[in-house]
Each structure stands twice: as structure tokens, then as C-alpha cells.
Amino acid sequence: DAGVIQSPRHEVTEMGQEVTLRCKPISGHDYLFWYRQTMMRGLELLIYFNNNVPIDDSGMPEDRFSAKMPNASFSTLKIQPSEPRDSAVYFCASTGQGPNYGYTFGSGTRLTVV
Amino acid sequence: AQSVTQLGSHVSVSEGALVLLRCNYSSSVPPYLFWYVQYPNQGLQLLLKYTSAATLVKGINGFEAEFKKSETSFHLTKPSAHMSDAAEYFCAVSDGRFQKLVFGTGTRLLVSP
């Protein structure tokens, strides 16, 4: 298995532009999570899905952020419009249940908004 | 609500010395507990997990952790540090039901020759 795949690895964009981050979870995992990591706030859970359905989006900072999971093998996190304070590393993670419970993280997308 | 507290944002050891990274948890139900490691510019990698079986859990790279309910602790240890262990380590807790992990603030391990 190739693990959790995120793209792009790095993204530099100008303030006000739309940014879309992508994630492919591990096949068979039915939970998918989006985290944001910054020096100031550490790891923050933004939103998570179970069987493609959003379960908890209370961590999404504001309406500029949205996430979708149209099918079991793909999810997006979109920021529109982007702001400099959105600069962070965004991680996607997935997990199964029972004996397979334990998040597998992607390598992250480093977002810089200038 | 569940939470974890990692004591010490930085821990420094010499190569070959004992590694001890502390984690205390708070949970209203029997917890699932995890340790993750993050190397620079990489994602988090699962070191080990406790899911209500044996209280002493062995993980990868020679690390182990012991679940102590009386102390609400899940400290991570390694008998002999290696230079390659230098990284950031995160403790995390879940109640298992909702599959959501809550992470601690992390401890950066520094290993000197």
C-alpha cells in the first residue's frame, strides 16, 4: 500500500487566491481526518469524515475553509480566499477500525500564503 | 472531554542514555493511547498504541510505553538513545468510539553525541 497520499507537497499562493489540497486515503480505511500544524497552535483537527460523510467540522476556522469527500478514495480541503495566517502544514490521515485502528498520516502539504 | 499533557517541550539526552518522554492523559472512559514520531518535514508515524490489552506496549525502533491507570500516565521509554531518535514525539488519546484523536503539544527529543 502506498500510504496516505497528499498533493501538492508545497504550495505558494498569493493572498486572496483559492487553494485546494488533495488527499487519497488508504484503501479500506473508513475515517479520514484533516489536521493543520503550526508552531503556535500545534496540531489542530479541522474536520473528519466517516464513510465519506462529515462528522465533525467544529475545527474549521471559518467559512473560508471547506472540505469534501466525494468518494472513499479522495478528499479535498479548500481555502477561498486564502490569507497569510493560513500558512501552515496541512496533514491528511486515515484509519480503519478495530485492530486496524491507528491513524496513518500523509506527508503533508506545506502552504505558504504571501 | 479527553486531553493529554506532555511534560517538557524539549528533552535532551546523550547517545546511549535512557529516553523518557512523559505523557499524562485525562479521559472519562477507558482510553486508547498512542505515541507518534515526526521527523523534520515529514508526517507523523505511529510508534505504538495501547487499546486495552497488555499494559506494556512495545513499538517500533526499540520504544515502549506502559499504561498506568492509577497514575493516568503513558510514558514513552527507550533504554538507549540513538542519534536517529532525534525528532518530535506526540502523545494522543481517543475514547475509541468516535475515532477522533486528541494530540498533545509534542516533545522535541535532542540527542547529543
Side-chain angles (χ1 to χ4, degrees):
Chain A
D1 198 319
V4 176
I5 299 172
Q6 291 187 247
S7 65
R9 285 297 310 273
H10 301 274
E11 177 80 37
V12 180
T13 191
E14 292 185 348
M15 182 173 62
Q17 296 298 305
E18 177 179 295
V19 175
T20 300
L21 311 181
R22 297 171 176 80
C23 175
K24 176 179 169 57
I26 290 176
S27 177
H29 281 185
D30 49 2
Y31 284 85
L32 182 140
F33 304 80
W34 283 101
Y35 279 86
R36 179 171 68 176
Q37 186 178 37
T38 61
M39 289 291 292
M40 293 296 293
R41 294 185 298 270
L43 274 164
E44 302 174 278
L45 176 64
L46 300 178
I47 184 171
Y48 77 99
F49 296 83
N50 177 218
N51 293 323
N52 314 335
V53 176
I55 302 300
D56 183 351
D57 66 354
S58 59
M60 297 286 261
E62 47 197 280
D63 292 345
R64 298 184 296 106
F65 286 70
S66 63
K68 294 182 179 179
M69 192 165 185
N71 58 62
S73 59
F74 184 67
S75 177
T76 60
L77 178 67
K78 185 176 294 186
I79 308 172
Q80 165 63 14
S82 57
E83 296 183 3
R85 58 193 168 118
D86 302 330
S87 297
V89 181
Y90 291 80
F91 288 105
C92 176
S94 69
T95 183
Q97 299 190 56
N100 296 321
Y101 181 48
Y103 287 24
T104 300
F105 279 78
S107 298
T109 295
R110 182 175 297 276
L111 174 65
T112 303
V113 183
V114 299
Chain B
Q2 297 163 294
S3 65
V4 289
T5 301
Q6 292 185 243
L7 297 176
S9 59
H10 292 79
V11 170
S12 295
V13 300
S14 299
E15 193 172 21
L18 171 72
V19 175
L20 171 61
L21 304 182
R22 299 177 186 274
C23 173
N24 288 89
Y25 70 90
S26 173
S27 177
S28 57
V29 298
Y32 290 7
L33 293 159
F34 303 78
W35 276 99
Y36 283 83
V37 61
Q38 185 178 30
Y39 298 102
N41 299 315
Q42 294 188 26
L44 280 72
Q45 179 183 0
L46 180 65
L47 272 179
L48 50 81
K49 63 181 179 181
Y50 166 77
T51 55
S52 74
T55 57
L56 182 61
V57 182
K58 294 187 183 299
I60 62 172
N61 302 339
F63 284 93
E64 63 182 35
E66 186 172 8
F67 172 70
K68 292 186 177 180
K69 184 177 179 180
S70 60
E71 299 177 8
T72 62
S73 69
F74 191 59
H75 303 329
L76 182 71
T77 61
K78 181 174 181 179
S80 177
H82 192 273
M83 296 294 289
S84 61
D85 295 327
E88 187 142 22
Y89 292 79
F90 292 90
C91 183
V93 64
S94 162
D95 66 6
R97 294 177 297 163
F98 301 110
Q99 314 293 359
K100 186 171 73 171
L101 278 185
V102 175
F103 284 88
T105 52
T107 297
R108 185 168 298 277
L109 178 65
L110 307 170
V111 183
S112 57

